[in-house]
């Protein structure tokens, strides 16, 4: 994070931020609740919009964000659905392009509607976006598994795991070689650990520095509940790292 400018730093396809939990705190809240009684005006406007003004639905502001970006950011599930519906009706939506494609949907910080829905902890809104895409299209940002893991939200994480193009054992970056399970164990994110284990995350992939597997980092930090979850999932606690230590 560039604290001086208070900006989230992302590059296309490359994760630059280590801590997402402070992201968009002011936009979090009941996913979908915010739009339950406030979309009728938007629906009326779209239904009666003159043809020569329909292009505005894809117009970007100074931050390169379209209305769909803001609907996703604030968890406006119904508004998101309406925008997608009219984009399709007006032949302005390409369902062959993933909504996490930074080249097409990225804002000035390379955040797409899907990024914003995940960072805002809005699984219902994110699901609307996923449902809008062609089922055969893969996500283009495999690191989204790590973003969702840090949110510690089972519903959101399960949604991402099911997506085409997501590898549950994807390394956060090539230098550290930390998987999403390793990160969840390191940060004591119990709900994410449980969800990842239930969905087949590999417990035996070691990180790059010491060769520590998830149970090493959990044990070193004294996270007993995490260690118990790992052992219950048959994680090996009798192995040794590259320095000759084991988790016990």
């Amino acid at each position: 994070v560039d604290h001086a400018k208070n900006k989230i730093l992302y590059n296309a396809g490359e994760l630059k931020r280590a801590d997402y939990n402070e992201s968009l705190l002011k936009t979090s809240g009941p996913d979908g609740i915010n739009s339950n009684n406030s979309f009728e005006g938007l629906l009326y406007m779209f239904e009666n919009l003159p043809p020569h003004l329909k292009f505005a639905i894809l117009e970007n502001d100074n931050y390169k964000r379209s209305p769909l970006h803001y609907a996703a950011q604030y968890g406006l599930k119904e508004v998101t659905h309406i925008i997608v519906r009219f984009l399709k009706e007006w032949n302005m939506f390409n369902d062959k392009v993933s909504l996490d494609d930074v080249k097409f949907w990225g804002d000035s910080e390379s955040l797409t509607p899907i990024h914003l829905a995940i960072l805002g902890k809005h699984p219902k809104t994110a699901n609307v976006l996923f449902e809008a895409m062609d089922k055969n299209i893969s996500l283009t940002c495999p690191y989204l598994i790590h973003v969702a893991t840090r949110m510690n939200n089972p519903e959101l994480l399960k949604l991402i795991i099911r997506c085409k193009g997501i590898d549950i054992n994807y390394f956060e970056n090539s230098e550290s070689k930390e998987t999403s399970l390793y990160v969840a164990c390191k940060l004591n994110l119990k709900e994410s650990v449980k969800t990842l284990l239930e969905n087949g995350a590999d417990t035996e992939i070691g990180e790059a520095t010491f060769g520590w597997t998830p149970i090493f980092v959990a044990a070193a930090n004294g996270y007993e509940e995490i260690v118990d979850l790992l052992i219950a999932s048959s994680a090996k606690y009798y192995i040794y790292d590259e320095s000759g230590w084991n988790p016990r």
Side-chain angles (χ1 to χ4, degrees), residues 84-122:
V84 169
R85 169 190 157 189
F86 281 92
L87 282 172
K88 290 187 174 184
E89 287 185 9
W90 297 342
N91 295 316
M92 301 172 72
F93 185 84
N94 185 353
D95 64 359
K96 303 297 184 184
V97 175
S98 175
L99 284 167
D100 77 322
D101 190 328
V102 176
K103 293 180 181 178
F104 191 88
W105 285 102
D107 65 7
S108 60
E109 295 178 326
S110 297
L111 298 173
T112 69
I114 285 180
H115 286 81
L116 293 168
I118 294 172
L119 288 166
K121 298 183 181 180
H122 302 309

mmCIF file of all heavy atoms in Angstrom, residues 84-122:
data_model
loop_
_atom_site.group_PDB
_atom_site.id
_atom_site.type_symbol
_atom_site.label_atom_id
_atom_site.label_comp_id
_atom_site.label_asym_id
_atom_site.label_seq_id
_atom_site.Cartn_x
_atom_site.Cartn_y
_atom_site.Cartn_z
ATOM 1 N N VAL A 84 -26.227 -5.589 -15.370
ATOM 2 C CA VAL A 84 -25.828 -6.697 -16.240
ATOM 3 C C VAL A 84 -26.950 -7.040 -17.213
ATOM 4 O O VAL A 84 -26.716 -7.269 -18.416
ATOM 5 C CB VAL A 84 -25.449 -7.934 -15.406
ATOM 6 C CG1 VAL A 84 -25.307 -9.163 -16.295
ATOM 7 C CG2 VAL A 84 -24.159 -7.687 -14.644
ATOM 8 N N ARG A 85 -28.172 -7.057 -16.723
ATOM 9 C CA ARG A 85 -29.326 -7.383 -17.575
ATOM 10 C C ARG A 85 -29.420 -6.430 -18.764
ATOM 11 O O ARG A 85 -29.572 -6.867 -19.919
ATOM 12 C CB ARG A 85 -30.613 -7.309 -16.747
ATOM 13 C CG ARG A 85 -31.883 -7.366 -17.580
ATOM 14 C CD ARG A 85 -33.116 -7.038 -16.757
ATOM 15 N NE ARG A 85 -34.207 -6.574 -17.599
ATOM 16 C CZ ARG A 85 -35.332 -6.063 -17.115
ATOM 17 N NH1 ARG A 85 -35.515 -5.957 -15.804
ATOM 18 N NH2 ARG A 85 -36.285 -5.646 -17.948
ATOM 19 N N PHE A 86 -29.306 -5.127 -18.508
ATOM 20 C CA PHE A 86 -29.452 -4.167 -19.596
ATOM 21 C C PHE A 86 -28.215 -4.112 -20.487
ATOM 22 O O PHE A 86 -28.333 -3.845 -21.693
ATOM 23 C CB PHE A 86 -29.821 -2.798 -19.038
ATOM 24 C CG PHE A 86 -31.277 -2.686 -18.672
ATOM 25 C CD1 PHE A 86 -31.695 -2.971 -17.386
ATOM 26 C CD2 PHE A 86 -32.218 -2.352 -19.631
ATOM 27 C CE1 PHE A 86 -33.042 -2.903 -17.047
ATOM 28 C CE2 PHE A 86 -33.568 -2.283 -19.307
ATOM 29 C CZ PHE A 86 -33.991 -2.563 -18.009
ATOM 30 N N LEU A 87 -27.058 -4.367 -19.925
ATOM 31 C CA LEU A 87 -25.871 -4.477 -20.776
ATOM 32 C C LEU A 87 -26.074 -5.573 -21.816
ATOM 33 O O LEU A 87 -25.705 -5.423 -22.993
ATOM 34 C CB LEU A 87 -24.635 -4.768 -19.928
ATOM 35 C CG LEU A 87 -24.005 -3.595 -19.178
ATOM 36 C CD1 LEU A 87 -22.921 -4.097 -18.225
ATOM 37 C CD2 LEU A 87 -23.420 -2.573 -20.151
ATOM 38 N N LYS A 88 -26.661 -6.668 -21.382
ATOM 39 C CA LYS A 88 -26.907 -7.780 -22.298
ATOM 40 C C LYS A 88 -28.024 -7.456 -23.279
ATOM 41 O O LYS A 88 -27.913 -7.732 -24.481
ATOM 42 C CB LYS A 88 -27.247 -9.045 -21.501
ATOM 43 C CG LYS A 88 -26.057 -9.618 -20.731
ATOM 44 C CD LYS A 88 -26.397 -10.953 -20.093
ATOM 45 C CE LYS A 88 -25.167 -11.579 -19.455
ATOM 46 N NZ LYS A 88 -25.439 -12.925 -18.905
ATOM 47 N N GLU A 89 -29.115 -6.857 -22.793
ATOM 48 C CA GLU A 89 -30.231 -6.527 -23.668
ATOM 49 C C GLU A 89 -29.825 -5.528 -24.742
ATOM 50 O O GLU A 89 -30.345 -5.556 -25.866
ATOM 51 C CB GLU A 89 -31.396 -5.977 -22.845
ATOM 52 C CG GLU A 89 -32.124 -7.024 -22.029
ATOM 53 C CD GLU A 89 -33.344 -6.473 -21.315
ATOM 54 O OE1 GLU A 89 -33.730 -5.298 -21.591
ATOM 55 O OE2 GLU A 89 -33.928 -7.207 -20.484
ATOM 56 N N TRP A 90 -28.909 -4.642 -24.391
ATOM 57 C CA TRP A 90 -28.471 -3.608 -25.330
ATOM 58 C C TRP A 90 -27.229 -4.038 -26.121
ATOM 59 O O TRP A 90 -26.614 -3.224 -26.787
ATOM 60 C CB TRP A 90 -28.177 -2.313 -24.573
ATOM 61 C CG TRP A 90 -29.379 -1.727 -23.898
ATOM 62 C CD1 TRP A 90 -30.683 -2.000 -24.154
ATOM 63 C CD2 TRP A 90 -29.369 -0.782 -22.822
ATOM 64 N NE1 TRP A 90 -31.510 -1.281 -23.311
ATOM 65 C CE2 TRP A 90 -30.724 -0.516 -22.485
ATOM 66 C CE3 TRP A 90 -28.371 -0.129 -22.100
ATOM 67 C CZ2 TRP A 90 -31.085 0.374 -21.477
ATOM 68 C CZ3 TRP A 90 -28.722 0.759 -21.096
ATOM 69 C CH2 TRP A 90 -30.069 1.009 -20.789
ATOM 70 N N ASN A 91 -26.880 -5.305 -26.026
ATOM 71 C CA ASN A 91 -25.732 -5.860 -26.758
ATOM 72 C C ASN A 91 -24.431 -5.112 -26.452
ATOM 73 O O ASN A 91 -23.613 -4.864 -27.335
ATOM 74 C CB ASN A 91 -26.001 -5.843 -28.266
ATOM 75 C CG ASN A 91 -27.145 -6.750 -28.657
ATOM 76 O OD1 ASN A 91 -27.252 -7.883 -28.181
ATOM 77 N ND2 ASN A 91 -28.031 -6.252 -29.520
ATOM 78 N N MET A 92 -24.263 -4.793 -25.191
ATOM 79 C CA MET A 92 -23.064 -4.075 -24.761
ATOM 80 C C MET A 92 -22.227 -4.897 -23.784
ATOM 81 O O MET A 92 -21.297 -4.390 -23.172
ATOM 82 C CB MET A 92 -23.466 -2.739 -24.115
ATOM 83 C CG MET A 92 -24.243 -1.823 -25.042
ATOM 84 S SD MET A 92 -24.921 -0.360 -24.212
ATOM 85 C CE MET A 92 -23.429 0.574 -23.951
ATOM 86 N N PHE A 93 -22.589 -6.173 -23.644
ATOM 87 C CA PHE A 93 -21.898 -7.050 -22.694
ATOM 88 C C PHE A 93 -21.304 -8.228 -23.436
ATOM 89 O O PHE A 93 -22.003 -8.937 -24.163
ATOM 90 C CB PHE A 93 -22.865 -7.548 -21.623
ATOM 91 C CG PHE A 93 -22.215 -8.353 -20.535
ATOM 92 C CD1 PHE A 93 -21.619 -7.726 -19.454
ATOM 93 C CD2 PHE A 93 -22.201 -9.743 -20.583
ATOM 94 C CE1 PHE A 93 -21.022 -8.470 -18.440
ATOM 95 C CE2 PHE A 93 -21.604 -10.490 -19.578
ATOM 96 C CZ PHE A 93 -21.010 -9.840 -18.502
ATOM 97 N N ASN A 94 -20.022 -8.439 -23.257
ATOM 98 C CA ASN A 94 -19.344 -9.569 -23.871
ATOM 99 C C ASN A 94 -19.123 -10.638 -22.813
ATOM 100 O O ASN A 94 -18.227 -10.519 -21.970
ATOM 101 C CB ASN A 94 -18.009 -9.127 -24.476
ATOM 102 C CG ASN A 94 -17.313 -10.239 -25.239
ATOM 103 O OD1 ASN A 94 -17.753 -11.400 -25.219
ATOM 104 N ND2 ASN A 94 -16.219 -9.912 -25.915
ATOM 105 N N ASP A 95 -19.949 -11.676 -22.830
ATOM 106 C CA ASP A 95 -19.836 -12.703 -21.793
ATOM 107 C C ASP A 95 -18.639 -13.619 -22.006
ATOM 108 O O ASP A 95 -18.381 -14.522 -21.209
ATOM 109 C CB ASP A 95 -21.117 -13.521 -21.668
ATOM 110 C CG ASP A 95 -21.451 -14.334 -22.911
ATOM 111 O OD1 ASP A 95 -20.697 -14.249 -23.904
ATOM 112 O OD2 ASP A 95 -22.464 -15.061 -22.888
ATOM 113 N N LYS A 96 -17.888 -13.382 -23.078
ATOM 114 C CA LYS A 96 -16.659 -14.133 -23.314
ATOM 115 C C LYS A 96 -15.458 -13.487 -22.627
ATOM 116 O O LYS A 96 -14.354 -14.037 -22.640
ATOM 117 C CB LYS A 96 -16.377 -14.233 -24.814
ATOM 118 C CG LYS A 96 -17.506 -14.866 -25.632
ATOM 119 C CD LYS A 96 -17.769 -16.299 -25.233
ATOM 120 C CE LYS A 96 -18.833 -16.910 -26.134
ATOM 121 N NZ LYS A 96 -19.175 -18.301 -25.710
ATOM 122 N N VAL A 97 -15.674 -12.308 -22.061
ATOM 123 C CA VAL A 97 -14.614 -11.599 -21.330
ATOM 124 C C VAL A 97 -14.909 -11.711 -19.843
ATOM 125 O O VAL A 97 -15.991 -11.320 -19.384
ATOM 126 C CB VAL A 97 -14.539 -10.111 -21.740
ATOM 127 C CG1 VAL A 97 -13.518 -9.374 -20.890
ATOM 128 C CG2 VAL A 97 -14.185 -9.985 -23.221
ATOM 129 N N SER A 98 -13.979 -12.229 -19.085
ATOM 130 C CA SER A 98 -14.175 -12.383 -17.647
ATOM 131 C C SER A 98 -14.281 -11.019 -16.976
ATOM 132 O O SER A 98 -13.577 -10.071 -17.329
ATOM 133 C CB SER A 98 -13.008 -13.170 -17.038
ATOM 134 O OG SER A 98 -13.143 -13.226 -15.633
ATOM 135 N N LEU A 99 -15.152 -10.937 -15.995
ATOM 136 C CA LEU A 99 -15.340 -9.681 -15.277
ATOM 137 C C LEU A 99 -14.206 -9.384 -14.300
ATOM 138 O O LEU A 99 -14.256 -8.392 -13.581
ATOM 139 C CB LEU A 99 -16.692 -9.692 -14.547
ATOM 140 C CG LEU A 99 -17.902 -9.466 -15.453
ATOM 141 C CD1 LEU A 99 -19.196 -9.809 -14.732
ATOM 142 C CD2 LEU A 99 -17.931 -8.036 -15.952
ATOM 143 N N ASP A 100 -13.193 -10.245 -14.269
ATOM 144 C CA ASP A 100 -11.975 -9.922 -13.518
ATOM 145 C C ASP A 100 -10.818 -9.624 -14.473
ATOM 146 O O ASP A 100 -9.670 -9.520 -14.042
ATOM 147 C CB ASP A 100 -11.587 -11.055 -12.565
ATOM 148 C CG ASP A 100 -10.922 -12.229 -13.280
ATOM 149 O OD1 ASP A 100 -11.345 -12.561 -14.412
ATOM 150 O OD2 ASP A 100 -9.986 -12.813 -12.713
ATOM 151 N N ASP A 101 -11.119 -9.454 -15.755
ATOM 152 C CA ASP A 101 -10.090 -9.157 -16.744
ATOM 153 C C ASP A 101 -9.667 -7.699 -16.604
ATOM 154 O O ASP A 101 -10.415 -6.785 -16.963
ATOM 155 C CB ASP A 101 -10.625 -9.429 -18.153
ATOM 156 C CG ASP A 101 -9.543 -9.367 -19.216
ATOM 157 O OD1 ASP A 101 -8.592 -8.581 -19.042
ATOM 158 O OD2 ASP A 101 -9.645 -10.092 -20.219
ATOM 159 N N VAL A 102 -8.483 -7.482 -16.068
ATOM 160 C CA VAL A 102 -8.016 -6.137 -15.765
ATOM 161 C C VAL A 102 -7.854 -5.299 -17.025
ATOM 162 O O VAL A 102 -8.106 -4.078 -17.011
ATOM 163 C CB VAL A 102 -6.680 -6.197 -14.975
ATOM 164 C CG1 VAL A 102 -6.122 -4.804 -14.739
ATOM 165 C CG2 VAL A 102 -6.898 -6.912 -13.644
ATOM 166 N N LYS A 103 -7.475 -5.921 -18.118
ATOM 167 C CA LYS A 103 -7.272 -5.167 -19.355
ATOM 168 C C LYS A 103 -8.572 -4.553 -19.854
ATOM 169 O O LYS A 103 -8.569 -3.480 -20.458
ATOM 170 C CB LYS A 103 -6.676 -6.081 -20.429
ATOM 171 C CG LYS A 103 -5.264 -6.545 -20.126
ATOM 172 C CD LYS A 103 -4.730 -7.456 -21.231
ATOM 173 C CE LYS A 103 -3.323 -7.924 -20.911
ATOM 174 N NZ LYS A 103 -2.802 -8.844 -21.964
ATOM 175 N N PHE A 104 -9.680 -5.232 -19.588
ATOM 176 C CA PHE A 104 -10.972 -4.753 -20.075
ATOM 177 C C PHE A 104 -11.769 -4.025 -18.995
ATOM 178 O O PHE A 104 -12.394 -2.999 -19.261
ATOM 179 C CB PHE A 104 -11.792 -5.929 -20.611
ATOM 180 C CG PHE A 104 -13.026 -5.519 -21.369
ATOM 181 C CD1 PHE A 104 -12.967 -5.261 -22.720
ATOM 182 C CD2 PHE A 104 -14.248 -5.395 -20.716
ATOM 183 C CE1 PHE A 104 -14.107 -4.877 -23.424
ATOM 184 C CE2 PHE A 104 -15.392 -5.009 -21.408
ATOM 185 C CZ PHE A 104 -15.319 -4.746 -22.765
ATOM 186 N N TRP A 105 -11.728 -4.551 -17.777
ATOM 187 C CA TRP A 105 -12.573 -4.028 -16.704
ATOM 188 C C TRP A 105 -11.803 -3.322 -15.585
ATOM 189 O O TRP A 105 -12.408 -2.850 -14.626
ATOM 190 C CB TRP A 105 -13.410 -5.156 -16.093
ATOM 191 C CG TRP A 105 -14.556 -5.603 -16.936
ATOM 192 C CD1 TRP A 105 -14.615 -6.720 -17.717
ATOM 193 C CD2 TRP A 105 -15.817 -4.939 -17.094
ATOM 194 N NE1 TRP A 105 -15.840 -6.809 -18.347
ATOM 195 C CE2 TRP A 105 -16.604 -5.726 -17.983
ATOM 196 C CE3 TRP A 105 -16.367 -3.764 -16.572
ATOM 197 C CZ2 TRP A 105 -17.901 -5.364 -18.358
ATOM 198 C CZ3 TRP A 105 -17.657 -3.407 -16.944
ATOM 199 C CH2 TRP A 105 -18.406 -4.203 -17.829
ATOM 200 N N GLY A 106 -10.497 -3.243 -15.680
ATOM 201 C CA GLY A 106 -9.720 -2.652 -14.600
ATOM 202 C C GLY A 106 -9.913 -1.150 -14.481
ATOM 203 O O GLY A 106 -9.973 -0.437 -15.490
ATOM 204 N N ASP A 107 -10.018 -0.655 -13.239
ATOM 205 C CA ASP A 107 -10.104 0.790 -13.020
ATOM 206 C C ASP A 107 -8.701 1.367 -12.917
ATOM 207 O O ASP A 107 -7.716 0.719 -13.293
ATOM 208 C CB ASP A 107 -10.959 1.100 -11.791
ATOM 209 C CG ASP A 107 -10.343 0.595 -10.486
ATOM 210 O OD1 ASP A 107 -9.189 0.112 -10.497
ATOM 211 O OD2 ASP A 107 -11.016 0.677 -9.440
ATOM 212 N N SER A 108 -8.568 2.573 -12.387
ATOM 213 C CA SER A 108 -7.253 3.219 -12.323
ATOM 214 C C SER A 108 -6.297 2.499 -11.387
ATOM 215 O O SER A 108 -5.088 2.727 -11.432
ATOM 216 C CB SER A 108 -7.403 4.677 -11.879
ATOM 217 O OG SER A 108 -8.010 4.759 -10.601
ATOM 218 N N GLU A 109 -6.828 1.625 -10.515
ATOM 219 C CA GLU A 109 -5.985 0.844 -9.612
ATOM 220 C C GLU A 109 -5.986 -0.632 -10.015
ATOM 221 O O GLU A 109 -5.624 -1.497 -9.229
ATOM 222 C CB GLU A 109 -6.469 1.007 -8.176
ATOM 223 C CG GLU A 109 -6.309 2.433 -7.665
ATOM 224 C CD GLU A 109 -6.840 2.601 -6.254
ATOM 225 O OE1 GLU A 109 -7.838 1.925 -5.900
ATOM 226 O OE2 GLU A 109 -6.278 3.411 -5.510
ATOM 227 N N SER A 110 -6.406 -0.903 -11.250
ATOM 228 C CA SER A 110 -6.470 -2.269 -11.782
ATOM 229 C C SER A 110 -7.421 -3.161 -10.999
ATOM 230 O O SER A 110 -7.209 -4.364 -10.889
ATOM 231 C CB SER A 110 -5.067 -2.900 -11.829
ATOM 232 O OG SER A 110 -4.228 -2.187 -12.704
ATOM 233 N N LEU A 111 -8.470 -2.573 -10.455
ATOM 234 C CA LEU A 111 -9.502 -3.326 -9.753
ATOM 235 C C LEU A 111 -10.732 -3.454 -10.646
ATOM 236 O O LEU A 111 -11.216 -2.465 -11.200
ATOM 237 C CB LEU A 111 -9.882 -2.639 -8.440
ATOM 238 C CG LEU A 111 -8.773 -2.512 -7.398
ATOM 239 C CD1 LEU A 111 -9.231 -1.657 -6.231
ATOM 240 C CD2 LEU A 111 -8.347 -3.881 -6.912
ATOM 241 N N THR A 112 -11.218 -4.663 -10.792
ATOM 242 C CA THR A 112 -12.391 -4.938 -11.611
ATOM 243 C C THR A 112 -13.629 -5.059 -10.712
ATOM 244 O O THR A 112 -13.509 -5.086 -9.476
ATOM 245 C CB THR A 112 -12.206 -6.252 -12.373
ATOM 246 O OG1 THR A 112 -12.243 -7.344 -11.431
ATOM 247 C CG2 THR A 112 -10.877 -6.265 -13.138
ATOM 248 N N PRO A 113 -14.829 -5.147 -11.301
ATOM 249 C CA PRO A 113 -16.011 -5.374 -10.457
ATOM 250 C C PRO A 113 -15.881 -6.590 -9.546
ATOM 251 O O PRO A 113 -16.313 -6.555 -8.384
ATOM 252 C CB PRO A 113 -17.132 -5.554 -11.497
ATOM 253 C CG PRO A 113 -16.708 -4.691 -12.638
ATOM 254 C CD PRO A 113 -15.212 -4.873 -12.699
ATOM 255 N N ILE A 114 -15.281 -7.675 -10.045
ATOM 256 C CA ILE A 114 -15.126 -8.862 -9.201
ATOM 257 C C ILE A 114 -14.159 -8.592 -8.056
ATOM 258 O O ILE A 114 -14.410 -8.995 -6.907
ATOM 259 C CB ILE A 114 -14.672 -10.068 -10.047
ATOM 260 C CG1 ILE A 114 -15.859 -10.588 -10.873
ATOM 261 C CG2 ILE A 114 -14.115 -11.184 -9.168
ATOM 262 C CD1 ILE A 114 -15.549 -11.778 -11.740
ATOM 263 N N HIS A 115 -13.042 -7.932 -8.328
ATOM 264 C CA HIS A 115 -12.121 -7.559 -7.248
ATOM 265 C C HIS A 115 -12.858 -6.767 -6.163
ATOM 266 O O HIS A 115 -12.708 -7.030 -4.966
ATOM 267 C CB HIS A 115 -10.991 -6.681 -7.783
ATOM 268 C CG HIS A 115 -9.955 -7.393 -8.582
ATOM 269 N ND1 HIS A 115 -10.136 -7.711 -9.905
ATOM 270 C CD2 HIS A 115 -8.718 -7.837 -8.253
ATOM 271 C CE1 HIS A 115 -9.046 -8.315 -10.367
ATOM 272 N NE2 HIS A 115 -8.177 -8.415 -9.375
ATOM 273 N N LEU A 116 -13.655 -5.795 -6.579
ATOM 274 C CA LEU A 116 -14.326 -4.908 -5.629
ATOM 275 C C LEU A 116 -15.379 -5.646 -4.820
ATOM 276 O O LEU A 116 -15.541 -5.394 -3.616
ATOM 277 C CB LEU A 116 -14.945 -3.731 -6.376
ATOM 278 C CG LEU A 116 -13.929 -2.776 -7.002
ATOM 279 C CD1 LEU A 116 -14.615 -1.823 -7.970
ATOM 280 C CD2 LEU A 116 -13.183 -1.991 -5.920
ATOM 281 N N ALA A 117 -16.083 -6.573 -5.442
ATOM 282 C CA ALA A 117 -17.077 -7.351 -4.703
ATOM 283 C C ALA A 117 -16.411 -8.238 -3.661
ATOM 284 O O ALA A 117 -16.917 -8.398 -2.542
ATOM 285 C CB ALA A 117 -17.900 -8.201 -5.675
ATOM 286 N N ILE A 118 -15.251 -8.803 -4.002
ATOM 287 C CA ILE A 118 -14.533 -9.656 -3.055
ATOM 288 C C ILE A 118 -13.957 -8.826 -1.914
ATOM 289 O O ILE A 118 -14.099 -9.173 -0.735
ATOM 290 C CB ILE A 118 -13.417 -10.439 -3.775
ATOM 291 C CG1 ILE A 118 -14.025 -11.429 -4.775
ATOM 292 C CG2 ILE A 118 -12.537 -11.192 -2.766
ATOM 293 C CD1 ILE A 118 -13.008 -12.110 -5.658
ATOM 294 N N LEU A 119 -13.315 -7.721 -2.245
ATOM 295 C CA LEU A 119 -12.726 -6.871 -1.212
ATOM 296 C C LEU A 119 -13.785 -6.280 -0.286
ATOM 297 O O LEU A 119 -13.523 -6.024 0.888
ATOM 298 C CB LEU A 119 -11.922 -5.743 -1.858
ATOM 299 C CG LEU A 119 -10.600 -6.162 -2.503
ATOM 300 C CD1 LEU A 119 -10.058 -5.054 -3.396
ATOM 301 C CD2 LEU A 119 -9.583 -6.531 -1.442
ATOM 302 N N GLY A 120 -14.990 -6.087 -0.809
ATOM 303 C CA GLY A 120 -16.078 -5.581 0.016
ATOM 304 C C GLY A 120 -16.801 -6.665 0.787
ATOM 305 O O GLY A 120 -17.743 -6.383 1.515
ATOM 306 N N LYS A 121 -16.383 -7.932 0.612
ATOM 307 C CA LYS A 121 -17.003 -9.089 1.263
ATOM 308 C C LYS A 121 -18.474 -9.229 0.876
ATOM 309 O O LYS A 121 -19.354 -9.362 1.721
ATOM 310 C CB LYS A 121 -16.863 -9.007 2.782
ATOM 311 C CG LYS A 121 -15.435 -9.008 3.274
ATOM 312 C CD LYS A 121 -15.379 -8.999 4.799
ATOM 313 C CE LYS A 121 -13.948 -8.975 5.303
ATOM 314 N NZ LYS A 121 -13.867 -8.975 6.778
ATOM 315 N N HIS A 122 -18.718 -9.216 -0.427
ATOM 316 C CA HIS A 122 -20.085 -9.304 -0.940
ATOM 317 C C HIS A 122 -20.269 -10.558 -1.810
ATOM 318 O O HIS A 122 -20.279 -10.475 -3.043
ATOM 319 C CB HIS A 122 -20.411 -8.059 -1.768
ATOM 320 C CG HIS A 122 -20.274 -6.768 -1.034
ATOM 321 N ND1 HIS A 122 -20.858 -6.543 0.195
ATOM 322 C CD2 HIS A 122 -19.622 -5.622 -1.363
ATOM 323 C CE1 HIS A 122 -20.569 -5.305 0.594
ATOM 324 N NE2 HIS A 122 -19.818 -4.741 -0.333
#
